[in-house]
Amino acid sequence: MCRKLVTGSLIAMLLITGITACRKEAWDEYYGRPDTLESPIYQVLQSKGNFTHLLAAIDKAGYKNTLSGAGYWTLFAPHDSAFQVYFKEAGIAGVAQMDSITCQKIVTYCLVFNSFKKDRVDDYQSNAGWVPNTAFKRRTANYKGIYDGTNTAGAPVKAISSNRNNLGGIFWVEADNNNKHLPIFTDTFFNARAIPTADYSYFYPAASFRGFNVADGSVVMQDIPAENGVIHVINKVITPLASIDEYLSSKPDYSEFKKLFDKYLVNYVLNPVMTQRYKNLTGKSDDVYTKVYNGLLAFSPNNENYLKVQDNDAQRDGYTLFVPKNDVLLNYIQNVLLEHYQNLDQIPVNILYDFINAHMWQSSVWPSKFNNTFSYLGEPARFNASTDIIDKQVLSNGFFYGTNKVQEANVFSTVYSKVYLDPKYSYMNRLLDQDLKATITNPNQQYVMLMVSNQAWNDAGYFADATVDNNQNFQWRFIPKNGGAQVVGSSALVRMLRLINQLVIPAPSNNLKTLTGSGVAQSIGGEYVRWDNNQLYTSGNMDSTVIFVANSSASKTTANGVVHYIDKLLTYTETNIGLHIAKLGTPTTSPFNSFWRFMQNSPLYNRTTGEINGIAAGVFYSVFIPNNAAIQKAVNDGLLPTTGATSGGNKVPNFAPTAALDIERVSRFIQYHILNKKAVATDGNESGSYETLLRKNNGDPTTIFVSNSAPNVMRLTDMNNEYGNVILANSNYLSNRCVIHLIDNYLKFNL
């Protein structure tokens, strides 16, 4: 009985074991590791036989388990021959003489997150998907972490780099290790971006480009599959590249540029999170500080994450910094930035921002693209890649160029620089910033600028006054010299902007480049400036006997023009044009007298205000006044009314006609001699057919052709192809947005 029971139990157990074995075999077959699956990266390297040094470094770095287990990596693996070269250069026999930190740096910097074969490694992982052949960097497992630094007071501190560009006050994000990037260059990338491979050789003259390079090493075997990624074999041991911040700090040749950062543009901010983490890991009580660059800079040179507009944007682009060597920089600071200051502590900090940002690019400036890659200030790299660059580096977060010259930024080299860098002209600086800065800093357009000091503005009644308005743009006060009502805020600003526009003259010719001789030039605001042997006049002179004198010996030349220093503010008139014509024509001996006598009795003219019907405030005009002889000719020819009498063979003008037809003839005559919406002077710059105030019977404007092809010569052609000449000695009379000329003939219209 017992024997039967034992036998039955044994059979049952064998059946159960058999069933379980069958189930496990089926499980393993379905869920087990396929025999065809590649080994992990570590084991693949072992099987190849020529990575003994790399494997030893991986072991010492503590990355064996990482590369033997699950994951998704790209490893750029230097072979044994590459390590032999590295050992020789380092003066060591092998990995045994390397510490774990050194091994960790090598291993982590050649270890890229995610798996990329050659055909994907230059594709940009954008938020919208893959963008082919536009990337040349990949994020690695390497990062700097906490390091020993020196704060702005010169004291040693535990520091950590910013991992953002300090936009909106965000300069460090806890979940980001600020991982370094590895530069990877492919033939498809260079072709797609139209970058010649000579640019690679520019950075790495001792290396050969083979279509797939990593820094200055070449990929000699690619796309080796592994269970947890892909391996590319390289012929160079690549150590972690410095960031721009690290490289600048390591080079004494650029220490003066670094001092500008350290003294004015860097701060060390306590990092509570990293402080606590450091204390937990080490048991030490040191505080940890984030090294923070000023948020008004183009980028933070210690940030490895590029702009972070998209998560992976550092794959396709990086920063660029051009840095002049010490002697060049010091010379420029002394002769340009400090022309009107004793030391850098005195200059406004925005000047430093502009100077540094002029050398900073939020993009990769490839050697072949200096002329069309624009800085944070919107300007090309004004360097000769062959002669001006003394040091060129591809770094972990961008390109670095050491230079033997300073970037000639527009704000420091154009006419604008003369007000920007001189505190005595801060009024002009503020006004130009609101209206004309972008225009007059254009190096491709020439200008003449008249320099008016703050004191001269004050003498004319204009003052900066912070009590006027909370908005700095409106903090102005105008106190009229004649004792009229004060003007403040935006109303004062409007007046001052009109004045500043009179002080800037585009210079298509040599007008005003020298104040000797005489002439007239149109300002950028459309109003004219006259000069005569160092004396300058604007329309404000019509209401005053004051002569505005400019000292031509104080003129200075810039990259886009000339500035002249003058001792008084050039003003504009607010008197109506008709009153200026009255002033010119009232004397009986005046050549303007006959025209004035007709005009003063015309219903077009308001004797009280001096207004002329059809002329609007704020609009430009030109008035061509026939001289007395020409007016007499118009009377004789029947264009202007006569009394019916004659004198000396001439018809006697009827200056105060009462007949409607005669009144209309006078009105039309006057209107045809006034250009509508156009001021012209004898500057030789503008010619063309321009409309007058007079309208034809069908409502179309009548016109006059103005020939103004040479300075000081102007001819007018009317609608009957008859002409009159401007009489220079009695012309270019500046009125309220108007120029008044005397001409030697009358102009005849057709209706």
Side-chain angles (χ1 to χ4, degrees), residues 293 408 593:
Y293 281 85
E408 290 289 348
N593 179 256

Side-chain angles (χ1 to χ4, degrees), residues 2-18:
C2 289
R3 186 174 181 180
K4 287 181 179 180
L5 289 172
V6 171
T7 302
S9 298
L10 181 59
I11 291 171
M13 290 177 62
L14 290 172
L15 287 171
I16 292 170
T17 302

Side-chain angles (χ1 to χ4, degrees), residues 409-619:
N410 295 342
V411 293
F412 300 124
S413 59
T414 60
V415 291
Y416 174 81
S417 68
K418 297 308 176 184
V419 298
Y420 188 45
L421 295 173
D422 192 337
K424 295 191 297 296
Y425 295 85
S426 63
Y427 284 17
M428 284 191 68
N429 188 14
R430 289 173 57 182
L431 294 166
L432 290 170
D433 283 354
Q434 292 184 60
D435 198 30
L436 294 174
K437 179 180 178 181
T439 301
I440 65 173
T441 54
N442 180 356
N444 300 314
Q445 175 65 52
Q446 291 287 302
Y447 295 96
V448 171
M449 188 161 71
L450 305 174
M451 301 284 289
V452 179
S453 69
N454 296 351
Q455 184 59 56
W457 282 89
N458 293 160
D459 292 342
Y462 293 91
F463 301 88
D465 189 343
T467 67
V468 167
D469 199 289
N470 291 329
N471 186 330
Q472 186 179 8
N473 291 338
F474 301 146
Q475 292 176 354
W476 300 106
R477 182 182 299 276
F478 172 54
I479 305 174
K481 291 299 182 179
N482 61 10
Q486 293 189 22
V487 181
V488 299
S490 59
S491 297
L493 175 63
V494 169
R495 298 181 64 91
M496 297 178 79
L497 290 179
R498 181 175 175 182
L499 291 168
I500 201 73
N501 274 266
Q502 284 192 156
L503 299 176
V504 178
I505 297 99
S509 63
N510 289 325
N511 288 357
L512 258 183
K513 289 190 175 181
T514 175
L515 295 177
T516 58
S518 62
V520 61
Q522 189 175 35
S523 71
I524 204 166
E527 300 183 74
Y528 282 88
V529 176
R530 290 180 59 180
W531 75 95
D532 186 7
N533 291 318
N534 297 325
Q535 294 179 335
L536 288 103
Y537 308 86
T538 49
S539 65
N541 293 95
M542 302 305 300
D543 302 320
S544 172
T545 58
V546 176
I547 295 177
F548 300 98
V549 179
N551 184 355
S552 61
S553 64
S555 301
K556 293 183 180 180
T557 300
T558 72
N560 73 336
V562 176
V563 299
H564 300 299
Y565 292 82
I566 61 178
D567 62 351
K568 293 181 178 65
L569 177 65
L570 298 179
T571 62
Y572 59 84
T573 183
E574 296 175 275
T575 301
N576 286 322
I577 297 169
L579 294 178
H580 285 150
I581 296 175
K583 183 177 180 180
L584 287 169
T586 297
T588 57
T589 57
S590 167
F592 297 91
N593 179 256
S594 292
F595 182 88
W596 160 241
R597 291 178 69 183
F598 272 113
M599 194 181 85
Q600 71 174 333
N601 295 305
S602 169
L604 292 177
Y605 182 67
N606 186 317
R607 292 188 178 215
T608 303
T609 64
E611 293 175 289
I612 300 173
N613 188 30
I615 288 182
V619 180

